[in-house]
Amino acid sequence: MNRLKYNAGTGNQKNWLIQETVFDERYLGKCEAIFAQGNGYLGVRNALEETYTGEVRDTFITGTFNKASSEEVTELPNIPDMTGINIKINGQELNLLKGKLERYCRTMNLKNGEVVREIIWETPSKIRLQAQFRRIVSLENEHLMATAVEFFLDQDADLVIETGIDGSVTNSGAQHFCNIERRVYDINEMQYVSQTTESQIWIAQHAVCRLNVKADVLPEMGRRTLKNKYHFRAKKDQKISFEKVSVYHSSRDMGYMGKQNEQIIEKMKQDGRDVLKTAFSKGYEGIKRESEKQWEKYWKASDIIIEGNADFDQLAIRFALYHLNIMVKHEDNRVGIGAKALTGEGYKGHSFWDTEMFILPYFIFTKPETARTLLEYRYKNLYGARKKAQKNGYEGAMYPWECAWVSDGEVTPEYAGTDVITGECTKCWTGLIEHHITADIAYAVEQYYLVTNDQDYMEQYGCEIILETARFWASRLQYVEEQDRYEILDVIGPDEYKEHVDNNAYTNYMAKHNMELALHMIQELEAKHVDLYGKLDQKINLLKLKKTLEERIEKLYIPKPDTDGIISQADGFKNLKELDLTKYKLAEQVGTIFDDFNIQQISQYKVIKQADIIMLFFVLGVLFDKEIQRKNFEYYEEKTLHDSSLSKCIHAIIANDLGMEEIAYEFYESCLNVDLGLYMKSSDAGIHSASIGGIWESTVMGFGGVRMKGEKLYLTPKLPQKWTKLTFPLCIKGNFLKISVDKTSVTVINHGNEEVSFLLQEEMVKVPAGMKMERKIRENEYEISRHYF
Amino acid sequence: MNRLKYNAGTGNQKNWLIQETVFDERYLGKCEAIFAQGNGYLGVRNALEETYTGEVRDTFITGTFNKASSEEVTELPNIPDMTGINIKINGQELNLLKGKLERYCRTMNLKNGEVVREIIWETPSKIRLQAQFRRIVSLENEHLMATAVEFFLDQDADLVIETGIDGSVTNSGAQHFCNIERRVYDINEMQYVSQTTESQIWIAQHAVCRLNVKADVLPEMGRRTLKNKYHFRAKKDQKISFEKVSVYHSSRDMGYMGKQNEQIIEKMKQDGRDVLKTAFSKGYEGIKRESEKQWEKYWKASDIIIEGNADFDQLAIRFALYHLNIMVKHEDNRVGIGAKALTGEGYKGHSFWDTEMFILPYFIFTKPETARTLLEYRYKNLYGARKKAQKNGYEGAMYPWECAWVSDGEVTPEYAGTDVITGECTKCWTGLIEHHITADIAYAVEQYYLVTNDQDYMEQYGCEIILETARFWASRLQYVEEQDRYEILDVIGPDEYKEHVDNNAYTNYMAKHNMELALHMIQELEAKHVDLYGKLDQKINLLKLKKTLEERIEKLYIPKPDTDGIISQADGFKNLKELDLTKYKLAEQVGTIFDDFNIQQISQYKVIKQADIIMLFFVLGVLFDKEIQRKNFEYYEEKTLHDSSLSKCIHAIIANDLGMEEIAYEFYESCLNVDLGLYMKSSDAGIHSASIGGIWESTVMGFGGVRMKGEKLYLTPKLPQKWTKLTFPLCIKGNFLKISVDKTSVTVINHGNEEVSFLLQEEMVKVPAGMKMERKIRENEYEISRHYF
């Protein structure tokens, strides 16, 4: 049974709506996550108004990290809930598991961010309820959420509506708040102030409701709850309309930066009440209209159009663009993007390499200011990165595998799930030995610079990041005397099913690239930017670094293709044991291999979690010819379980590069389905931000063929068979382009102020400011290998 | 619809079984609490195996108090859960709200403490499940809980059973545990160790399961969970039998007293695994048999038999005796009895005057060792009581209104629910000004001594309590010059609907009694116990205290009956405003007056929460003649909402004393129904320990007519019309008696070693050791007033 419907909507709603058409309490997590609403500041899972077992009713405010207890790592706390609404009809709570559910349809409208749920439900005592629930998190005012409920009954009944602010929510049982202060103003207006236990961040929440009929209102406080109870008599066929406006503030809000704590608390209360008052006067419709306008602006600038027999693809790219817009607070350089964004408790709101390698390209190529904000965050992370390097006996900046608040440093948990063999918790090695993230961040800085030409960023932040990361690598290399070379021993590469490997190819290549970047930069600075050189030299001994880099880059061991053309993922990969992966490849769920083996055992087999060598081709493809790439793709893909959501998008891109069109599209579809697909459990802990970034990457950088090679922009489009046309925006050096690609031509409109040049299928093309350019494109050179596999 | 069935069971099960015959997810709290199981050490709410919204899945270990956060008061933490079991049939979880429930019956067997649930349920895809769930908390080994599930399916199906240890539970959102350590031994045996956040108490939990068919077993760890997942194929009509044994230890266990923390943790793990191993080898049936034997012993010694047309009364007194047995750890003088015992989060596991005035009489009169343990707890509380006196500028011992761990001192929360008028939290004044508890405890010590003649207790503990409490009162009195008398100003009496009253009659009388007791004791000690006098004199200046008491007792203002015979509950009661209480008296729920008024307003009306003057008649009845009692009963009762569960039992006793037989029985029934009645919401936060003690009090001290007047035991039985005979055990000065009362005679069997004497309707009767005595009794002197009201 398909619980989701994608092709809902006609006319101008076509390919904007995702519908959940079946209520099934076993799969609540799916639409809680994929229908999550927010604005980068606030993230609210779309838990239903009424309560069900197994729901995960999460609200997050970006940056409000807290440690629930001293031995745990910091995480984004689940803020007291304001989404819950309890409706009782003649004493029977609305509960779709009871009585008779005649109609259920929940629709996420990607165009305006509204979720609408329509139900027709009969209570066990045969009262028929026809109801519509609407909810919006404002894109206009980040502090604001609004809900509207409208319903009719087919007979008179006693109604109770209870809603308020529920601080009894936890992060899977971990409670983050204390010092709760509650108050009701004028019976109706609710105020709930609480503080995180360790980071001592204050959260102020305000809510107020409106009901279109006269009711007795009673405020009630529980231990960690504050609610209003509306009691009234509803007439047969009378339209009952109930609205709730909810307002969130945190003492970490940008507006309170630099203020004293005591000041902030009073200000938060005042601000909360003010926002509430203004919003309440606008009502749900007014709040929605304002937010809608912001969404209109966004879509006007950002929409990607896929034409052809590709409705799902069109919807999916919009789904990705929707989440890409709400996963980041675009102007706040103190916060990163969580692996599950603000849509679930998974990965605790922490930022990984996911941001730089999978999400950032979207921002670099379309929203450079946001990309800069995110890379400023990484500059601020230098504090923790230097601390981590020092703690581990290295120099420079060793980026934390997981980052939270800017000053937190490394926040990777020490332990994960059960080791089925020993029965103990599995030790998490990523925080200790997954080192490639440091090179990934330097690579991202380079990419940002190449695309945007943002000198100011480089001067203020970027150069220092590249130098400090290179300094880390120089100190991280281990000299191996018998071969007179440097190696990188005992790491985890992108493929996390191999712990404690030596010379992971991805890591070594990226480390080398990082060091080369730094060396090149020092040379450039020496030659052309004496002031900046001097400034940086005060922090980092550049002469010494230059010498070290010169010597070590030269002698760093870089795994090369062997006689079969295979680049060993890490030392000894070819000697690992074989394992029949069919069972795990066919499993609906990822990670089922851990039901049979522990990580020590898995490390001994030729089994790969995710793109590793393939990832290397994505980032440093210029170094490898197509034939080598093809051979390695073939060799490694069959050993890859794609148990990470970071895997398929990259495989789609490389397959497309290699002309394996059908395979590329298969991986692409598979990537679109990571969150949006019919497997209903995949998004329980939140959407997969990186995979969502990967949707954009495989669409625009894959099929659209957009890629930087050095300082040059390349456009090598190659659309899937089902597509007739792809249109997407792109921003190069501050010039906004609209690019359309079909099977035979490329059209570029330059909305910018400068001429833009790029290589179209290796041929240099220039588009002057304000001009439109159309070019024919050649048949794909890899066409011949379309049916390669 | 009656959801509970009381007259279930025939033959030797008659009046032992309480059945819940309807599954209604709105009323889960009721049977979770009244069917709660335990042994004084452990308390486990009877949450169903599968999960429902609104359930409160609590497990408590006595004495493991912890503060969830620094601004909250300490409470009994909800221990990680081991009761939950999740059963999936072809992917559909057992959930009685879905599919079709053909039969549901959950039975609490008071005789052996077992709860059995039988269901016939059809999954939404028409697979019929016939299942029986059984659960027991061992009375033989306090660390032990066991569950057995047996079921049949009407067709082959894929089965998954998941169960383990779930540490994501909270106290209404407050998480008490950190430093979690988990492990699985041999795939099957689960170990979960965690520590309370503030009191740093370790809890070790172990569980193991047995399944009668071959299954794949997979251990799984979540953030705060550890479970085993059994996956197997069940055949049509095959009997599937699943057992789980659960073991609990805490570092506060008596066995670990005096040990170092590090030692304890290892010992707990070893002890846990040992208990688990032994218990597992016995299986559910073996564990049950052992526990059953302990229950047999208990009932042999403790059962009360009510004959006549009184099945419900018989069941209810057994219900009370069941809970009285499991609400206390009989030999541990570091812990008291919580207002909700170990059956719910209400009142946080704290002890109030409830223990001394409502529960202790049962133990004093039937289990003197337990009574002594409880009064040793109060001796240990002296530490906190002295601290509180000092803090408030008084001398001696001022008992905390709420007590938790022995050294905690006052633990009353500062704030309660919403003030409907101001919209703020209501300030809790009880911890500050409800002072009568100090006199209540002294009174209880006296009662204990009078009934048991336990000299040793008095010498070691009792005398000091009485002297220190008297010293508090002497310092607490306020001299009022114009009347040349002492008064007690600004208190709350037992009637908590009057805050900040002066000269609450109950308080003044009890304070005077307390001081008189001390004065009398000093005189006795001086005369007869010089050593003890000397010992106590070193702690307390007895000469000074004596003089103070002599002067102040004399001049303490004691409200006397006015010209109408009414004793003013507190100064100015008669001048308070009148209020029509009909609405509140008719409400199903208690406390509905707070929907309309706040406590400041309520204090201005003639409205009483609970027995106050009536309570005074219960404890110091000898001071008031029947006519005065009758007048006051009539005057105050009509103003009393009985919004406290402590009210009705006392009204039943006094009404019976006054010959208002029908009214007495009405109150009695009403008291039986506080927890056991058909109003399904009353016990959500736990059973009412005091009301349960009150059932015993109104049965034995009320209808049975057992009362101490000074040193003399009085027996003035007066059975309700429906009863033909009442038989109960009693222990006087260490001699166990069996007393039977019918409408015309009393029979006493003395199982003790000494002659026992008492006054039967004012006539002295002596029963030699080992003898049986039968006496006729007179018609009730108040017979005439049976239809008084």
Side-chain angles (χ1 to χ4, degrees), chain A residues 71 75 173 175 179 184 223, chain B residues 71 75 173 175 179 184 223 423:
Chain A
E71 85 284 8
E75 69 182 328
Q175 178 54 256
N179 290 321
V184 179
R223 176 161 184 181
Chain B
E71 84 284 8
E75 70 182 328
Q175 177 54 256
N179 289 322
V184 179
R223 174 160 185 180

Side-chain angles (χ1 to χ4, degrees), chain A residues 657-704:
Chain A
D657 281 1
L658 298 176
M660 306 168 183
E661 192 181 291
E662 283 180 17
I663 290 163
Y665 191 67
E666 242 172 63
F667 276 117
Y668 181 72
E669 287 291 293
S670 193
C671 166
L672 302 187
N673 279 299
V674 164
D675 284 305
L676 211 47
L678 296 173
Y679 175 54
M680 296 298 284
K681 301 297 285 175
S682 61
S683 310
D684 283 0
I687 54 97
H688 298 75
S689 322
S691 173
I692 279 172
I695 293 177
W696 183 89
E697 285 185 329
S698 46
T699 305
V700 173
M701 302 179 75
F703 300 128

Side-chain angles (χ1 to χ4, degrees), chain B residues 375-408:
Chain B
L375 289 170
E376 285 176 13
Y377 170 70
R378 286 307 196 181
Y379 180 78
K380 290 182 171 240
N381 285 171
L382 273 181
Y383 169 80
R386 288 195 181 102
K387 221 165 51 175
K388 184 176 174 186
Q390 208 167 17
K391 193 181 159 196
N392 286 273
Y394 302 123
E395 292 173 23
M398 178 188 193
Y399 273 96
W401 177 244
E402 301 187 19
C403 273
W405 186 242
V406 272
S407 53
D408 286 336

Side-chain angles (χ1 to χ4, degrees), chain A residues 318-332:
Chain A
R318 283 177 176 153
F319 169 74
L321 292 170
Y322 167 83
H323 278 289
L324 283 163
N325 193 35
I326 66 168
M327 70 171 64
V328 58
K329 186 153 161 50
H330 298 272
E331 71 287 7
D332 191 346

